[in-house]
């Protein structure tokens, strides 16, 4: 049985491949309209599902427009190199950034996600 977070996208296979490359996680299952990314350790899955009429969210949120309903946070050791890698894979850097140790990026479908520097 597959379970996990489901993310809507106009092209779920392409978006799953983006995150597969970004995280180094394998594609666990693919069928028309659904692609599942599997964490290499454990039973964590991210399901990418076909969405007809998909409207990408707006970051930062704007009244009357599609708001982000969720986002991923990924902890990284080197923020600049992690941003460069994500951009090379197809992400874009959001114009507005909340803090010096966080970068908000938009995945190829327009979902915001954050790269957070490990200042630990």
């Amino acid at each position: 049985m597959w379970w996990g977070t489901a993310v809507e996208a106009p092209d779920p296979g392409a978006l799953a491949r983006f995150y597969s490359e970004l995280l180094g996680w394998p594609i666990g299952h693919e069928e028309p309209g659904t692609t599942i990314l599997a964490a290499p350790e454990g039973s964590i899955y991210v399901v990418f599902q076909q969405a007809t009429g998909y409207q990408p969210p707006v970051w930062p949120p704007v009244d009357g427009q599609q708001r982000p309903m969720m986002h991923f946070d990924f902890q990284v050791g080197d923020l600049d190199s992690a941003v460069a890698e994500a951009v090379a894979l197809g992400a874009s850097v959001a114009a507005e950034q909340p803090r010096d140790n966080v970068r908000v990026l938009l995945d190829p479908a327009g979902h915001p996600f954050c790269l957070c520097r490990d200042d630990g």
Side-chain angles (χ1 to χ4, degrees), residues 19-31:
Y19 280 105
S20 175
E21 289 291 321
L22 184 71
L23 301 173
W25 291 10
I27 301 293
H29 179 79
E30 192 163 12
E31 61 188 59

Side-chain angles (χ1 to χ4, degrees), residues 83-106:
V83 168
E85 180 182 350
V87 168
L89 293 170
S92 59
V93 178
E96 186 167 321
Q97 298 295 322
R99 296 185 302 216
D100 290 340
N101 66 333
V102 174
R103 290 295 171 276
V104 178
L105 290 96
L106 305 174

Side-chain angles (χ1 to χ4, degrees), residues 1-4 27-31 34 36-38 44-47:
M1 176 166 68
W2 300 101
W3 62 271
I27 301 293
H29 179 79
E30 192 163 12
E31 61 188 59
T34 302
I36 299 171
L37 192 62
I44 299 170
Y45 304 99
V46 180
V47 181

Side-chain angles (χ1 to χ4, degrees), residues 45-93:
Y45 304 99
V46 180
V47 181
F48 296 88
Q49 296 179 323
Q50 181 75 44
T52 304
Y54 173 78
Q55 295 290 318
V58 176
W59 172 260
V62 174
D63 287 343
Q65 295 191 28
Q66 179 63 47
R67 297 179 57 84
M69 298 182 73
M70 56 81 64
H71 71 271
F72 294 116
D73 287 337
F74 302 113
Q75 189 174 28
V76 299
D78 182 327
L79 192 54
D80 291 336
S81 65
V83 168
E85 180 182 350
V87 168
L89 293 170
S92 59
V93 178

